[in-house]
Amino acid sequence: MKSTNSSEAVPLPEILIFPTRLLKAETTEKLLNKLYEVPHVRQVNISGESLPAVLGSGPGKGLGNEHPERKVINVKGKEVELRLLVGRVFVEIDDIDNVQQALEEIDAICTDLMPFGFNLEVGRYSKYKPTVTDYAKGCKR
């Protein structure tokens, strides 16, 4: 199930980390750095509530968003602007045979960093090949 190209014939497994609360920037930074230290982690994707630079609606529309969690964090030695409050983390594993080992290590990391609780699930959550919509959008160009 290993693959070196970007479009796998068989999708690689993912571990979904679903915290019971949105994560602060400091916790997100620690979590991402520890996840990248786990063997067999291919990539990590995050999703959550957007923190736009400029407010798009309401009485402050057009003003800058001075949210305290909109920060620059350091992930794997690189500065990254965190533009969201993280609510889900998707960890892609490089081979199905390594999922159990990675799951155990990720569980220990999450237990340490998220004492408020979390859920872990194994599956495939990100798309791994173009959809019909992607194909249609590509044809219009």
Side-chain angles (χ1 to χ4, degrees):
M1 194 173 280
K2 283 189 178 183
S3 176
T4 55
N5 62 5
S6 61
S7 61
E8 295 89 25
V10 177
L12 295 173
E14 287 181 318
I15 298 173
L16 167 64
I17 303 170
F18 196 168
T20 55
R21 299 181 186 170
L22 294 173
L23 301 180
K24 290 187 169 195
E26 180 182 323
T27 306
T28 300
E29 180 178 18
K30 289 177 185 176
L31 178 63
L32 292 175
N33 284 314
K34 287 189 177 200
L35 287 175
Y36 277 114
E37 292 174 4
V38 174
H40 308 293
V41 169
R42 184 170 179 231
Q43 72 177 9
V44 179
N45 295 311
I46 58 175
S47 71
E49 297 294 320
S50 177
L51 294 174
V54 177
L55 298 174
S57 62
K61 183 176 181 178
L63 298 176
N65 186 2
E66 299 299 326
H67 196 284
E69 292 304 315
R70 188 176 167 84
K71 297 179 180 178
V72 174
I73 62 173
N74 189 321
V75 180
K76 291 175 51 176
K78 296 181 181 176
E79 299 289 316
V80 178
E81 183 182 5
L82 189 61
R83 299 182 205 158
L84 49 85
L85 288 171
V86 175
R88 289 189 179 139
V89 181
F90 304 93
V91 183
E92 189 175 68
I93 307 301
D94 66 2
D95 194 355
I96 191 94
D97 297 331
N98 302 320
V99 171
Q100 188 59 39
Q101 175 189 357
L103 186 63
E104 291 168 4
E105 291 187 41
I106 290 170
D107 184 47
I109 291 168
C110 292
T111 301
D112 181 43
L113 293 176
M114 296 183 275
F116 46 81
F118 61 92
N119 290 323
L120 294 177
E121 295 178 10
V122 177
R124 183 65 198 192
Y125 305 97
S126 306
K127 64 181 182 177
Y128 59 93
K129 62 182 180 180
T131 63
V132 172
T133 304
D134 295 332
Y135 177 75
K137 286 179 182 177
C139 289
K140 291 181 182 180
R141 292 181 186 167

